[in-house]
Amino acid sequence: MRRCLLPPCVLTASGRPYSPHIAQWHLGYACWEYTPTFRGYSSYYGFYSGGQDYFKHGSKGSLDFHLEVGERCGANCSVPQWNAVGTYSTTLFTSRAVEVVEQHVVSSPLFVYLAYQAVHAPREVPALYADKYKDTI
């Protein structure tokens, strides 16, 4: 845990910026101290495990999709995002990023880390996109 991750290392003249992390996290979640808000991010919206469903946001019947607001947000702070079930993850992550930027006070620094799930299996997209290419793929 002595490694300096990007958010704590990003300093500005006015101090550390507000730095939300949005989407996937693959740097550990065996204990809260390994999760984003314990490692320098000011909030987190996304999932910890890999290879999860883009619409169900989990695997094997479990939900792995969280909203964590505030540094060192842990067991009594992390909010499962049940309302996200059924919505495509890329849409959710983009909406959260837009919300963060629109609500941010422009006079203070902002660093947003947005790591889309789109490069991971399973390969899933909304029908709108799949239908466009059904004869070519």
Side-chain angles (χ1 to χ4, degrees), residues 20 31 34 39 94:
C31 64
Y34 298 159
R39 310 254 341 243
T94 301

Side-chain angles (χ1 to χ4, degrees), residues 21-135:
H21 181 291
I22 301 168
Q24 60 189 347
W25 176 260
H26 293 318
L27 295 176
Y29 60 97
C31 64
W32 287 113
E33 287 75 19
Y34 298 159
T35 61
T37 63
F38 283 80
R39 310 254 341 243
Y41 289 96
S42 47
S43 68
Y44 177 67
Y45 182 71
F47 63 95
Y48 293 127
S49 63
Q52 69 165 262
D53 187 281
Y54 284 67
F55 295 92
K56 295 177 184 172
H57 311 297
S59 61
K60 299 178 184 162
S62 65
L63 178 72
D64 178 16
F65 204 82
H66 316 268
L67 174 62
E68 300 169 1
V69 178
E71 294 182 13
R72 305 187 65 77
C73 178
N76 296 318
C77 177
S78 183
V79 180
Q81 297 298 287
W82 292 103
N83 60 338
V85 174
T87 304
Y88 189 52
S89 62
T90 299
T91 302
L92 292 167
F93 299 142
T94 301
S95 296
R96 176 66 180 163
V98 168
E99 177 185 332
V100 164
V101 171
E102 287 178 344
Q103 293 179 357
H104 184 71
V105 177
V106 296
S107 61
S108 64
L110 173 66
F111 170 80
V112 177
Y113 184 76
L114 174 57
Y116 285 110
Q117 179 184 3
V119 299
H120 290 287
R123 292 185 304 186
E124 297 174 316
V125 296
L128 165 74
Y129 300 114
D131 291 347
K132 284 183 178 182
Y133 302 99
K134 67 182 174 190
D135 296 328

